[in-house]
Amino acid sequence: MEQKKQNPTAEDETQIISRRIQRISLHITPIPRPLHDHDNNLGLLPCATREKLEVETEKLSVYLRGKYRDMQEKIYEYFNARPELQTPVEISKDEHRELCWRQMYGLIRETGIRPLKYVAEEPAKYFAITEAVGAVDISLGIKLGVQYSLWGGSVMNLGTKKHKDKYSEKIDNLEYPGCFAMTELHHGSNVQGIQTVATFDPITDEFTINTPNDGAIKWWIGNAAVHGKFASVFAKLMLPTHDAKGVSDMGVHAFIVPLRDFKTHQALPGIEIHDCGHKVGLNGVDNGALRFTSVRIPRDNLLNRFGDVSRDGKYTSSLPTINKRFAATLGELVGGRVGLAYSSVGVLKIASTIAIRYSLLRQQFGPPKQPEISILDYQSQQHKLMPMLASTYAFHFATVNLVKIYSQMKMTHDEQLVGEVHALSAGIKAYVTSYTAKSLSVCREACGGHGYAAVNRFGTLRNDHDIFQTFEGDNTVLLQQVAADLLKQYKEKFQGGTLSVTWNYLRESMNTYLSQPNPVTSRWEGVEHLRDPKFQLDAFRYRTSRLLQSAAVRLRKHSKTLGGFGAWNRCLNHLLTLAESHIESVILEKFIEAVEKCPDASSRAALKLVCDLYALHRIWNDIGTYRNVDYVAPNKAKAIHKLTDHLSFQVRNIAKELVDAFDLPDHVTRAPIAMQSEAYAQYTQHVGF
């Protein structure tokens, strides 16, 4: 018997081969299956007979891209007309850094675009600019962000009129290239723990900046290694006192510190600059390390919007505590987080466009004695790419809304809006960048061997984007901030407080969604019901409410024995899931609103289809949660699964129009160099590589 198992007979091998052929045949030519017995019209129809929506790509594109389309086109046309400024596939670190500087310098000096003006006055326009330049080269997008959002933004948001008058124009025209020196070797996420110190000297009316130990070296500072001439340095402000301690720590503040001589470009006395070297990606950005040894700067170089020091060394602030000043400081810097979320969606648009165009044209296998079929006609390829395309649209509308409320916050300085933007930007940035990072690998795999060619961008996109999950706040830390805010809102609800706009649904959900699921609606499985936005949004919010209520109970229980910190750590994975669930609810809500507001009927129908796929795919992915509490009965779960498959097929039929509506230029979605063979050149010319 053992011998037979180890050496299968020819008959056994024949049976194995026969079974494999049968399985492959079923994969290539799936048997049409009805959604359920009374809805046979929604079965999986053959490709040629599937119903297809008529989509007017131009109208959909206009709705998607909004009023800053012309600005983005101006940027695309600038780089399209200058092939010498397009980043080649093979380029060294040093060459890439210099090219990135020339790209930014040329764009600013030759087009008249002034990003810093928009950072302050029209943030939505600034984010549209960063999306466009990031599509050309993500390194360029990040370098521009360092110059204008971080270095320029810190001066504009944390400084006062004297700083804006002195620096803003020269930051905008690149006479003053600068850095944002917050992160230290030993402290990244924990900004309050940074160790760099700025001690006031009342005799000379100066601050002395010092790096007290190696752990306090400023690290990963963009623009520092090569081009930066200034830095916004974040340090603990120390004031001399007459007690035993000798100094008083006033908390983290920002200071303008000159780094290099304008004539020689050499580091100024007391400043050591080191190169962080070659990175996994973003090698067009010159990250460096900074050490300060008794570097003296004028008292006026303190960015003093939230705290100031007088000539005689007295400290004044409109905010009474270190924690409130720190929160106000970081609150003004949240624009970088908003921009990263927005740019991450831009990267996802590029990757999904390339992968879907490839999948539409690439043909492999087919029914016997018939032509090969497009690989996007395989269910497995659709399952990889269609929910991703739906998510891309969902994220687009969610980040557009985030930019909108961020702009309102900048104009009104409303305290409630500040808190909402802080939590929402943290959650959307974490959720979107994590999803995009995973999707880049899926896109590469979906394009097979051709996806591995560097010329087709997936490797560069994946490597350059990867750090989006870390800078401007580590994603795991940011999701904890969202969870903490949800728990705070939960407490406010029971104390009768006012909930912020985004969290309003919690008041109803604690009363309605946490009651026993309706035994009738839990069994409804009709298509009209499943595609009803109310059912979809209710399901998302129900899940969030269950997670929130159970998290609160668990934290209360564990706090008695483990203390607050220990209880939080014990429940951490639960809290991260809660935060993600809430963000998914917000994203779906904004997608539904965008569908309803779309003025063109054909575009609205296409967006409704995509929105339904986004919602039902998410529900199906977490169907266990809904089944465990009988929110969804077994037959309804099966109906959701089958409808999700069907919607994926329908979205596949308009996939070309959906990616064309992103309206990305050829030099972004097609290889920028000549192909190695004529056949490959002809092939990729149509695919969009």
Coordinates of all heavy atoms in Angstrom, one line a residue, residues 9 18 30 42 57 96 101 122 149 220 239 270 274 369 498 542 549 566 577 606 634 639 657 685:
T9 N 0.2 4.8 -10.2 CA 0.1 4.1 -11.5 C -0.2 5.1 -12.6 O -0.6 6.3 -12.3 CB -1.0 3.1 -11.4 OG1 -2.2 3.8 -11.2 CG2 -0.8 2.1 -10.2
S18 N -6.7 14.5 -15.8 CA -8.1 14.7 -16.2 C -8.8 15.7 -15.3 O -9.5 16.6 -15.8 CB -8.9 13.4 -16.3 OG -10.2 13.6 -16.6
P30 N -16.5 29.6 -17.2 CA -17.3 29.3 -16.0 C -18.8 29.0 -16.4 O -19.3 29.6 -17.3 CB -17.2 30.6 -15.2 CG -16.8 31.7 -16.2 CD -16.0 31.0 -17.2
L42 N -29.5 37.9 -13.3 CA -28.3 38.4 -12.8 C -27.2 37.4 -12.8 O -26.2 37.5 -12.1 CB -28.4 39.0 -11.4 CG -29.2 40.4 -11.4 CD1 -29.4 40.8 -10.0 CD2 -28.4 41.4 -12.2
T57 N -16.9 59.4 -21.0 CA -15.7 59.5 -20.2 C -15.4 61.0 -19.9 O -14.9 61.3 -18.8 CB -14.5 58.9 -21.0 OG1 -14.8 57.5 -21.2 CG2 -13.2 59.0 -20.2
H96 N 19.7 61.5 -9.6 CA 18.3 61.6 -9.3 C 18.0 62.9 -8.5 O 17.1 63.6 -8.7 CB 17.7 60.4 -8.7 CG 16.2 60.3 -8.7 ND1 15.6 59.2 -8.2 CD2 15.3 61.1 -9.2 CE1 14.3 59.4 -8.4 NE2 14.1 60.5 -9.0
W101 N 15.9 68.4 -8.3 CA 16.0 69.8 -8.0 C 15.7 70.6 -9.3 O 15.0 71.6 -9.3 CB 17.4 70.2 -7.5 CG 17.6 71.6 -7.5 CD1 18.4 72.4 -8.3 CD2 17.1 72.6 -6.5 NE1 18.4 73.7 -8.0 CE2 17.6 73.8 -6.8 CE3 16.2 72.4 -5.4 CZ2 17.2 75.0 -6.1 CZ3 15.9 73.6 -4.7 CH2 16.4 74.8 -5.1
E122 N -5.3 78.8 -0.7 CA -6.1 77.9 -1.4 C -5.6 76.4 -1.4 O -5.0 75.9 -2.4 CB -6.2 78.3 -2.9 CG -7.4 77.8 -3.6 CD -7.6 78.5 -5.0 OE1 -6.8 79.4 -5.4 OE2 -8.6 78.1 -5.7
S149 N 5.0 72.6 1.9 CA 4.1 72.3 2.9 C 4.8 72.2 4.3 O 4.2 72.7 5.3 CB 3.5 70.9 2.6 OG 2.5 70.5 3.6
W220 N 16.7 61.8 8.9 CA 15.7 61.7 7.7 C 15.2 63.0 7.3 O 14.1 63.1 6.8 CB 14.6 60.7 8.0 CG 14.9 59.3 8.2 CD1 14.6 58.5 9.3 CD2 15.6 58.4 7.3 NE1 15.0 57.2 9.1 CE2 15.7 57.1 7.9 CE3 16.2 58.6 6.0 CZ2 16.3 56.1 7.2 CZ3 16.8 57.5 5.4 CH2 16.8 56.3 6.0
L239 N 14.2 78.2 29.2 CA 14.5 79.6 29.7 C 15.3 79.5 31.0 O 15.0 78.7 31.9 CB 13.1 80.3 30.0 CG 12.3 80.6 28.8 CD1 11.0 81.3 29.3 CD2 13.0 81.5 27.9
G270 N 29.2 75.2 13.7 CA 28.4 74.5 14.7 C 27.4 73.5 14.1 O 26.7 72.8 14.9
H274 N 25.1 65.3 7.6 CA 25.5 64.1 7.0 C 24.4 63.5 6.1 O 23.3 63.8 6.3 CB 25.8 63.1 8.1 CG 26.9 63.5 9.1 ND1 28.2 63.2 8.8 CD2 26.9 64.1 10.2 CE1 29.0 63.7 9.7 NE2 28.2 64.3 10.7
K369 N -10.4 25.7 -29.6 CA -10.5 26.1 -31.0 C -11.1 27.5 -31.2 O -11.7 27.8 -32.2 CB -11.3 25.1 -31.8 CG -10.6 23.7 -31.8 CD -11.5 22.7 -32.6 CE -10.8 21.3 -32.6 NZ -11.6 20.3 -33.4
T498 N -21.8 67.5 22.7 CA -22.0 67.8 21.3 C -21.0 66.9 20.5 O -19.8 67.0 20.8 CB -21.8 69.3 21.0 OG1 -22.7 70.0 21.7 CG2 -22.0 69.5 19.5
Y542 N -23.2 49.9 11.8 CA -23.5 48.9 12.8 C -22.3 48.2 13.2 O -22.0 48.0 14.5 CB -24.5 47.9 12.2 CG -24.8 46.7 13.1 CD1 -25.9 46.9 14.0 CD2 -24.1 45.5 13.1 CE1 -26.2 45.8 14.9 CE2 -24.4 44.5 14.0 CZ -25.4 44.6 14.9 OH -25.7 43.6 15.7
Q549 N -18.6 49.9 21.2 CA -19.2 49.5 22.4 C -18.4 48.4 23.1 O -18.1 48.5 24.3 CB -20.7 49.1 22.2 CG -21.5 48.9 23.5 CD -21.6 47.5 24.0 OE1 -21.1 46.6 23.3 NE2 -22.1 47.4 25.2
G566 N -1.8 49.6 30.3 CA -1.9 48.2 30.1 C -3.2 47.7 29.4 O -3.2 46.8 28.5
T577 N -8.9 47.8 14.6 CA -10.0 47.4 13.8 C -11.1 48.3 13.9 O -11.8 48.7 12.9 CB -10.5 45.9 14.2 OG1 -9.4 45.0 14.2 CG2 -11.6 45.5 13.3
A606 N -22.7 55.1 -13.6 CA -21.4 54.4 -13.4 C -20.9 54.4 -12.0 O -20.4 53.4 -11.5 CB -20.4 54.9 -14.4
P634 N -27.9 33.5 6.7 CA -27.0 32.8 5.7 C -27.4 33.0 4.2 O -26.5 33.2 3.4 CB -27.3 31.3 6.1 CG -27.6 31.4 7.6 CD -28.4 32.7 7.7
A639 N -26.4 35.8 -1.1 CA -26.8 36.8 -2.1 C -25.8 37.9 -2.2 O -25.6 38.4 -3.3 CB -28.2 37.3 -1.7
E657 N -13.3 52.9 -19.5 CA -13.9 54.2 -19.3 C -13.6 54.8 -18.0 O -13.3 56.0 -17.8 CB -15.4 54.2 -19.6 CG -15.8 54.0 -21.0 CD -15.9 52.5 -21.4 OE1 -15.4 51.7 -20.6 OE2 -16.4 52.2 -22.5
Q685 N 2.5 50.3 -26.4 CA 1.9 51.5 -26.9 C 0.4 51.6 -26.7 O -0.1 52.6 -26.3 CB 2.2 51.7 -28.4 CG 1.6 53.0 -29.0 CD 1.9 53.1 -30.5 OE1 2.6 52.2 -31.0 NE2 1.4 54.1 -31.1

